[in-house]
Amino acid sequence: MGNLYGLIGYPTSHSMSPIMHNQAFASLHLPHHYQAFSVHPQQLAAAISGIKALGVSGFNVTIPHKVTVMDYLDEIDELAANIGAVNTVKNVDGKLIGYNTDGAGFLLSLKQLHSAPLVEKSVLIIGAGGAARAILATLLHEGIKTVDIANRTVSKAEALVTRSGNTSSRVFSLTEAAQLLGKYDIIVNTTSVGMSPHVDELPVSVENVSKGAVLCDIIYNPLETNWLKAGKVQGAITQNGIGMFVGQGALAFELWTNQKPNFEQMEQTVLNQLGGKTC
Ligand code: ATR
């Protein structure tokens, strides 16, 4: 295989993946290069043929191709199939194999923050979109017993739980979740609520969060959402979305190169790019 890696999405101009991966390649003295390609949805099939023809060794997939790309791959890993989306592809001797490192990236970043075993923890996921699906499937795969879902549209959360096949996950409205928050050790916001420019909105009130609980927001713009700020005031430990972004990238890097990149260095590269500090 060659030395070219990349990203396909539409658009990709704001992606931090090229700088993050290129610095990680350089720091391990690998002769590889990572390039972002903006691929119109109607050009996806042609782009995948091009990737095969050119011998691109691996690539990431982002919005809007994470689900549709699956039609063009030769093999899909079991977790990615469960999630129903692919964010990482490895080219093995001309065969394209799809993976999903989004949920595992989140788990990796959580483990960096939380050294205690996670299996006995109770987790509440807020939201029922693609990110929630990846995180739910990964946490269940990890063996975490209590993973509940709260969503504005309760029927979507119910559908997510049914799809996961996990009968013990409970589903709540956002109002119910606000009241029950104190029961959870780890609470993850996977919605876009609080993302720039709507920074004043909170996905759910944190009034009842337990002191020492972990609040994770997958948003990293702004770096510290008002939800995380409010959680800190209540004594929660907080984590922003940089960890999940870097985690998914680090796991993709490892799939492609069989080498572990330096997580902290990748995180610093992204933070420098965003011009802030982690929280
Ligand atoms: P992604 O793939 O990034 O997870 P998505 O599939 O569009 O994004 O999912 C967005 C999630 O954010 C959903 O859970 C959505 O709630 P609904 O299922 O009710 O639509 C949630 N969301 C988006 N805007 C919201 C808002 N203003 N208030 C509450 N939840 C919101």
Side-chain angles (χ1 to χ4, degrees):
M1 281 291 115
N3 294 326
L4 185 59
Y5 293 82
L7 165 72
I8 58 168
Y10 191 78
T12 55
S13 51
H14 297 297
S15 173
M16 289 175 296
S17 292
I19 189 161
M20 179 174 79
H21 283 289
N22 282 323
Q23 291 215 356
F25 287 146
S27 69
L28 286 169
H29 307 290
L30 294 168
H32 304 332
H33 180 73
Y34 186 104
Q35 175 73 41
F37 297 100
S38 195
V39 175
H40 189 278
Q42 286 176 359
Q43 294 295 326
L44 183 61
I48 301 293
S49 300
I51 279 169
K52 278 194 168 183
L54 296 170
V56 172
S57 297
F59 59 100
N60 285 129
V61 184
T62 190
I63 293 164
H65 304 314
K66 284 187 180 191
V67 177
T68 44
V69 76
M70 296 171 82
D71 291 341
Y72 304 102
L73 303 178
D74 300 299
E75 227 176 79
I76 311 239
D77 148 88
E78 192 187 331
L79 181 59
N82 281 344
I83 294 168
V86 158
N87 81 321
T88 300
V89 178
K90 182 173 178 170
N91 187 345
V92 181
D93 301 324
K95 204 165 89 174
L96 298 184
I97 306 174
Y99 299 87
N100 192 309
T101 66
D102 284 330
F106 170 74
L107 191 60
L108 180 65
S109 65
L110 190 61
K111 284 179 176 169
Q112 303 246 330
L113 185 75
H114 207 291
S115 51
L118 294 171
V119 180
E120 300 300 332
K121 301 288 173 198
S122 53
V123 182
L124 178 68
I125 297 174
I126 301 164
R133 205 160 69 210
I135 291 174
L136 175 66
T138 309
L139 296 184
L140 293 177
H141 190 257
E142 180 76 3
I144 299 179
K145 295 183 191 98
T146 309
V147 190
D148 296 337
I149 312 283
N151 196 40
R152 177 178 61 180
T153 312
V154 171
S155 59
K156 284 197 200 163
E158 280 164 352
L160 186 73
V161 166
T162 304
R163 192 181 188 284
S164 79
N166 184 45
T167 48
S168 64
S169 288
R170 286 164 302 173
V171 166
F172 301 112
S173 68
L174 296 178
T175 316
E176 288 167 330
Q179 285 158 4
L180 295 168
L181 221 57
K183 293 188 185 301
Y184 293 92
D185 302 309
I186 299 165
I187 302 138
V188 194
N189 174 41
T190 68
T191 75
S192 51
V193 180
M195 193 190 287
S196 182
H198 306 293
V199 296
D200 292 334
E201 293 169 28
L202 303 188
V204 79
S205 157
V206 287
E207 223 170 89
N208 293 327
V209 72
S210 298
K211 209 161 181 260
V214 177
L215 277 195
C216 307
D217 204 326
I218 72 161
I219 294 171
Y220 52 79
N221 177 24
L223 278 175
E224 188 177 39
T225 56
N226 277 352
W227 190 66
L228 291 186
K229 282 185 191 153
K232 253 186 196 170
V233 172
Q234 301 289 334
I237 299 161
T238 62
Q239 174 170 270
N240 68 13
I242 297 285
M244 178 171 171
F245 176 73
V246 173
Q248 64 75 34
L251 293 171
F253 188 101
E254 207 176 322
L255 274 169
W256 295 329
T257 64
N258 295 320
Q259 294 196 47
K260 264 194 203 313
N262 183 325
F263 189 97
E264 286 77 22
Q265 205 174 47
M266 286 173 96
E267 191 175 35
Q268 198 53 54
T269 304
V270 174
L271 280 171
N272 290 346
Q273 193 71 3
L274 290 169
K277 288 198 201 97
T278 191
C279 59

